[in-house]
Amino acid sequence: MSDLHITGLTHSYAPGARILDGLDLTVPGGRLAAVLGPSGCGKTTMLRVVAGFLRPDAGTVELDGRTVTGPGVHLPPERRRIGIVPQEGALFPHLSVARNVAFGLTHRTRAERSRRTEEMLELVGLPGYGPRMPHELSGGQQQRVSLARALAPAPALVLLDEPFNALDSALRAGVRADVRAALRATGATGVLVTHDQQEALSTADLVAVVRSGRVAQCGTPQEVYRRPADPWVAGFVGGAVLLPGTGEGSTARTALGPVPLEVPADGDGGTVVLRPEQLALTAPPSDDTARATVADVSFHGADTLVSVLVPGVDALVQVRATGPVDRRPGDPVGIAVTGTATLHPHRTARER
Ligand SMILES: Nc1ncnc2c1ncn2[C@@H]1O[C@H](COP(=O)(O)OP(=O)(O)OP(=O)(O)O)[C@@H](O)[C@H]1O
């Protein structure tokens, strides 16, 4: 299994506009990391550097203990042992499924090629599909063949560039789970580029949240969701309730009352971050000044999102309840908090 180490990656396409700005990322061998970030933050640029299609201004990429990109080093893409699954599969349309999968299997006998091809097609759930042509496959099947093609030469690393974008949501979940299982079965290290938070959290072992060409936070899905590095990351990886608050030891004083803190803080004023599912609607409190008001109710089937106006909080506070909610806009409510929050002190002018 091959570790991937990316250090200090910096790149500009034009003078003065840094797209990668000292990006660091480590993916332990055999793990799948999701690189998650808004459009234009540099995800694809990073992937192109790792694949060897682009030489960065500075920084190093090490794969399996070997520098493939670095000062004075630039290994060509075909010698990096990297498999790529592009956005829409990009199968060769004039080649059969089997010939697509066997494409990278050079220096092997015909029998070996055909055995490996069938093995890979089985791995991605398409046994016997070898003779078909790409146009005879659905979008999801084409993505599976693309993965089989990437995995066939037993690469050290597989790069997946928003591979589920073209699939409808019903198909996405199934193909995602199969891709993950196939990567695990082969032990390949993977990097999945996506701007879909749900996809990153549900598919990857590690999530690297990228902002303006740098990794703002890298951790397990649970870590980045439960202990976001800052309010921006919190809002980017899911619904977030951001409240002004002040640390008072193990709790923070907020407009929702005292909220237990994940990490104690004293006297620090800042932003308290909770998740909408940590809030519950209760009967309105007798004290008028603490009374919140329902602003909007949106039903999503499995859950309902209720937007609430809370005295002392500028933005609407989101409450996620399981199942339907019997409240209407204008109803007075109370809000109870469960679990712990993170407190992010206001940054000083020097840190900004
Ligand atoms: N070849 C290029 N020449 C000049 N600018 C480029 C080039 N490729 C990308 N850019 C610019 O670099 C920035 C980052 O692009 P990149 O494709 O890496 O972002 P991304 O995070 O993958 O975005 P998306 O999620 O929209 O694909 C964008 O502003 C883009 O316009």
Side-chain angles (χ1 to χ4, degrees):
M1 291 195 188
S2 311
D3 291 354
L4 171 69
H5 283 292
I6 300 176
T7 323
L9 222 53
T10 300
H11 190 70
S12 310
Y13 290 105
R18 275 205 176 165
I19 302 303
L20 297 180
D21 190 15
L23 185 142
D24 297 324
L25 176 66
T26 293
V27 187
R31 300 291 171 84
L32 175 62
V35 174
L36 175 70
S39 184
C41 72
K43 303 181 295 293
T44 302
T45 302
M46 181 213 77
L47 220 56
R48 294 180 63 217
V49 171
V50 174
F53 300 139
L54 182 68
R55 292 179 87 138
D57 298 338
T60 57
V61 178
E62 268 176 53
L63 184 56
D64 220 357
R66 180 171 70 144
T67 302
V68 294
T69 286
V73 181
H74 182 78
L75 206 66
E78 64 279 9
R79 290 183 47 211
R80 295 190 174 207
R81 294 190 52 224
I82 292 180
I84 298 175
V85 181
Q87 285 206 358
E88 292 189 23
L91 299 177
F92 303 114
H94 59 295
L95 298 182
S96 67
V97 164
R99 290 186 64 197
N100 264 283
V101 176
F103 191 79
L105 295 175
T106 47
H107 311 301
R108 301 198 190 203
T109 65
R110 203 177 199 176
E112 278 169 353
R113 276 211 304 273
S114 124
R115 191 174 39 79
R116 180 73 178 163
T117 298
E118 199 43 46
E119 198 184 337
M120 289 298 106
L121 285 174
E122 246 173 62
L123 183 73
V124 299
L126 295 174
Y129 275 65
R132 294 220 199 172
M133 295 303 286
H135 73 265
E136 296 174 297
L137 304 179
S138 69
Q141 289 169 334
Q142 289 186 25
Q143 278 308 62
R144 289 165 200 257
V145 173
S146 182
L147 178 69
R149 179 177 64 183
L151 289 173
L157 175 69
V158 179
L159 303 176
L160 302 114
D161 187 7
E162 311 225 17
F164 313 113
N165 265 10
L167 309 179
D168 65 51
S169 61
L171 203 57
R172 269 174 101 111
V175 178
R176 245 187 236 159
D178 291 349
V179 164
R180 185 175 140 126
L183 284 172
R184 289 230 167 106
T186 56
T189 308
V191 174
L192 166 72
V193 161
T194 179
H195 59 256
D196 180 329
Q197 294 83 344
Q198 288 302 325
E199 184 163 296
L201 294 176
S202 63
T203 314
D205 301 304
L206 276 179
V207 177
V209 184
V210 176
R211 172 177 50 201
S212 309
R214 282 173 187 234
V215 173
Q217 185 175 10
C218 184
T220 64
Q222 292 79 3
E223 277 164 359
V224 297
Y225 189 76
R226 298 303 311 219
R227 293 195 294 280
D230 57 45
W232 182 88
V233 170
F236 195 73
V237 300
V241 176
L242 308 181
L243 305 168
T246 307
E248 291 181 343
S250 57
T251 57
R253 188 156 34 89
T254 75
L256 298 181
V259 173
L261 285 175
E262 183 88 24
V263 178
D266 253 322
D268 288 337
T271 304
V272 171
V273 175
L274 286 156
R275 295 296 178 187
E277 59 274 19
Q278 290 182 263
L279 308 188
L281 298 180
T282 60
S286 47
D287 173 7
D288 277 359
T289 57
R291 199 170 279 188
T293 311
V294 172
D296 186 45
V297 180
S298 70
F299 178 58
H300 296 272
D303 56 21
T304 301
L305 213 54
V306 184
S307 304
V308 181
L309 265 166
V310 175
V313 182
D314 293 339
L316 287 173
V317 167
Q318 308 284 329
V319 178
R320 193 191 310 282
T322 314
V325 167
D326 190 17
R327 312 272 181 165
R328 290 170 189 283
D331 284 355
V333 287
I335 295 180
V337 177
T338 54
T340 54
T342 49
L343 172 65
H344 304 271
H346 293 308
R347 287 178 301 172
T348 61
R350 259 174 88 199
E351 288 169 321
R352 252 167 250 182

